[in-house]
Amino acid sequence: MATALIILGAGMGTRMNSDLPKVLHEIAGAPMLVHAMKSGAALDPEATVVVAGHGAALVEKAAKAYDPDVIMALQSEQLGTAHAVRQAQEALADFDGDTLVLYGDTPFIRSETLAAMAAARLTHDIVVLGFEAADPGRYGRLIVQDGQLDRIVEFKDASDDERSVSLCNSGVIAANASVLFDLISEVGNDNAAQEYYLTDIIGIARSRGLSATVVRCDEAETLGINARSELAQAEALFQQNARATAMDDGVTMTAPDTVFFAHDTVIGRDTVIEPNVVFGPGVTIESGATIRAFSHLEGCHVSRGGIVGPYARLRPGAELSENVKVGNFVEIKNAQVAEGAKVNHLSYIGDASIGARSNIGAGTITCNYDGVFKHRTDIGEDVFIGSNTMLVAPIRVGDAAMTGTGSIITRDVPGGDLAVGRARQENKPGFALRFFQKLKAKKAKGS
């Protein structure tokens, strides 16, 4: 059965106290909306519709950055969840299959849970995701009778008996698209909030003789984000799960609580991660690497046997081949470092390539920016770059060449050559003693 996703993301999120739409606040380096889209993507949907409202242009930009084929729908007035879902009807007018309604501010629903909902749809007309709440609070209650979901009651409209029920509504619903929109057409707003509740479709469906059931999940999966404190809790929950998964996959972390992952971090087994390492989006670490303390990595790839840090920064486009060493206070950006090469100390390598087994001395800088354009530095194999070398791009250093310490290199260096680009040293005998004697005498006179 074909599946379409409807992801609701129109809310302003007043409690976030932010100009940014609520669903664009980030967890693990990605907007909450993207987390929801990733969860739904496990069902291989034929179409994904994101319903936006507040900050719609920003929401669209984020959604399309993750999935260029996403369809946007606009909810110009926020009149309730049923009203929001109805905005997707036109986009799915020609769709024949099941729809799954997700929420852009509920980022942790697992793909296995959604698969269970899809399986339940084979035997029931409507499937609702529910959870047993430790503290039901103001959640809507799922009222089950004779093994069927009979109705969903919002807290504001629930009786005391209904409020005593601990099985709560996550808001996630699966149904055939035509059935869903037909049921929504009958939803009214005669309730305490005068909103069009999506949950009302259950009672309408049951009155028609349609079947409804509940798929249960862990309460943590349904965590919704409405305030900054909840955003912080969600980040902590993500990191806790990511660390546990990494260690289960064979990654060693000596102080796991100090390591922070992005939503898409990939780390191979037998990799060692020391304390206080931060992974931004787009990082892949192959097996057997070591990421040493206080390093920051984003948009990069570290191959097997690589050693990074301590206090290293790998920026987007950094590609490290096998057995590369990147040491303390080294920054690498948009550069390819070939097998066995070393950049061990206090260096910046940007817009560059470094050949196999080359050694980059301490304090080396690739001067890649002229104020308008970026330029490349290409360093061949088995090259020795002396400490404190400035390589003024565009420039090429050939295989087995070397540069003298403290050089400013402005021209290509042929393979096998030594390049020295510094002023000749001149010593002036006794000058330092005479100079300081003169200054001290001047100070003594008070002038």
Side-chain angles (χ1 to χ4, degrees):
M1 175 69 73
T3 301
L5 305 178
I6 300 174
I7 303 178
L8 305 187
M12 179 182 296
T14 304
R15 288 171 56 196
M16 297 296 284
N17 191 21
S18 175
D19 293 331
L20 191 68
K22 180 170 68 169
V23 297
L24 297 189
H25 286 269
E26 292 190 351
I27 298 170
M32 289 190 283
L33 174 64
V34 169
H35 286 271
M37 294 174 72
K38 287 178 67 176
S39 295
L43 298 179
D44 191 23
E46 186 173 303
T48 298
V49 182
V50 172
V51 180
H54 175 69
L58 293 174
V59 173
E60 179 175 4
K61 182 178 179 180
K64 287 188 176 293
Y66 175 74
D67 178 6
D69 296 324
V70 71
I71 304 166
M72 301 302 299
L74 181 64
Q75 185 188 22
S76 54
E77 292 183 274
Q78 280 70 64
L79 302 178
T81 49
H83 178 261
V85 173
R86 186 182 297 136
Q87 309 314 304
Q89 184 169 2
E90 183 178 348
L92 297 177
D94 298 325
F95 174 74
D96 181 19
D98 278 0
T99 51
L100 180 68
V101 179
L102 297 172
Y103 296 81
D105 61 355
T106 306
F108 291 147
I109 296 176
R110 299 183 307 131
S111 57
E112 294 86 350
T113 298
L114 299 184
M117 294 186 68
R121 260 289 297 131
L122 299 175
T123 54
H124 292 83
D125 296 304
I126 301 175
V127 180
V128 172
L129 183 63
F131 60 96
E132 292 287 346
D135 179 12
R138 302 186 67 82
Y139 288 116
R141 304 305 204 265
L142 302 181
I143 309 302
V144 177
Q145 294 182 352
D146 301 324
Q148 290 273 342
L149 177 60
D150 185 68
R151 64 191 184 279
I152 304 176
V153 183
E154 296 296 332
F155 177 84
K156 297 175 183 177
D157 304 303
S159 66
D160 289 341
D161 285 344
E162 290 168 336
R163 290 180 179 181
S164 70
V165 173
S166 61
L167 182 60
C168 295
N169 176 39
S170 72
V172 176
I173 290 180
N176 176 271
S178 60
V179 171
L180 176 67
F181 291 120
D182 185 42
L183 292 172
I184 284 175
S185 69
E186 293 192 24
V187 172
N189 66 344
D190 184 16
N191 52 62
Q194 294 189 313
E195 291 188 354
Y196 297 90
Y197 291 140
L198 180 62
T199 50
D200 286 353
I201 69 171
I202 302 302
I204 298 170
R206 297 292 290 130
S207 70
R208 293 185 181 183
L210 299 177
S211 63
T213 192
V214 179
V215 168
R216 290 167 169 81
C217 70
D218 188 86
E219 183 175 1
E221 289 188 53
T222 68
L223 179 66
I225 315 302
N226 296 298
R228 303 275 184 165
S229 59
E230 293 171 349
L231 187 67
Q233 292 169 12
E235 181 73 40
L237 178 62
F238 178 94
Q239 296 301 335
Q240 177 184 330
N241 292 337
R243 292 162 188 152
T245 298
M247 289 186 284
D248 287 344
D249 289 343
V251 176
T252 294
M253 289 186 282
T254 54
D257 288 350
T258 70
V259 176
F260 289 84
F261 293 95
H263 66 103
D264 57 354
T265 306
V266 177
I267 302 178
R269 68 178 185 174
D270 293 323
T271 286
V272 176
I273 304 174
E274 294 183 357
N276 298 294
V277 172
V278 176
F279 295 98
V283 176
T284 298
I285 310 294
E286 294 188 15
S287 299
T290 298
I291 311 299
R292 302 191 64 190
F294 293 98
S295 294
H296 188 286
L297 297 81
E298 60 180 315
C300 64
H301 174 238
V302 179
S303 297
R304 181 183 295 268
I307 299 175
V308 176
Y311 294 98
R313 185 181 183 197
L314 300 186
R315 293 172 56 195
E319 292 278 344
L320 310 189
S321 298
E322 293 188 0
N323 300 312
V324 164
K325 292 184 179 181
V326 173
N328 48 290
F329 302 104
V330 171
E331 179 178 343
I332 297 181
K333 186 271 295 184
N334 189 32
Q336 298 74 49
V337 185
E339 184 175 359
K342 299 177 181 179
V343 190
N344 273 330
H345 317 284
L346 302 158
S347 296
Y348 170 71
I349 305 297
D351 299 293
S353 63
I354 299 174
R357 301 172 302 280
S358 290
N359 186 90
I360 309 301
T364 294
I365 295 176
T366 56
C367 306
N368 57 329
Y369 184 48
D370 64 9
V372 178
F373 298 106
K374 296 289 183 70
H375 302 281
R376 284 193 65 81
T377 298
D378 293 308
I379 298 171
E381 297 182 352
D382 301 300
V383 171
F384 184 88
I385 301 295
S387 297
N388 200 33
T389 294
M390 305 291 110
L391 297 161
V392 182
I395 200 165
R396 161 83 186 167
V397 181
D399 294 347
M402 64 186 302
T403 67
T405 297
S407 292
I408 299 175
I409 306 300
T410 58
R411 293 184 291 139
D412 288 353
V413 182
D417 283 8
L418 164 65
V420 180
R422 60 190 182 212
R424 182 180 298 275
Q425 180 174 319
E426 180 182 350
N427 294 340
K428 297 184 177 182
F431 178 87
L433 289 174
R434 296 192 301 272
F435 180 70
F436 282 110
Q437 287 172 354
K438 181 179 178 180
L439 290 181
K440 290 176 182 177
K442 190 175 182 179
K443 182 179 181 181
K445 291 180 180 179
S447 57

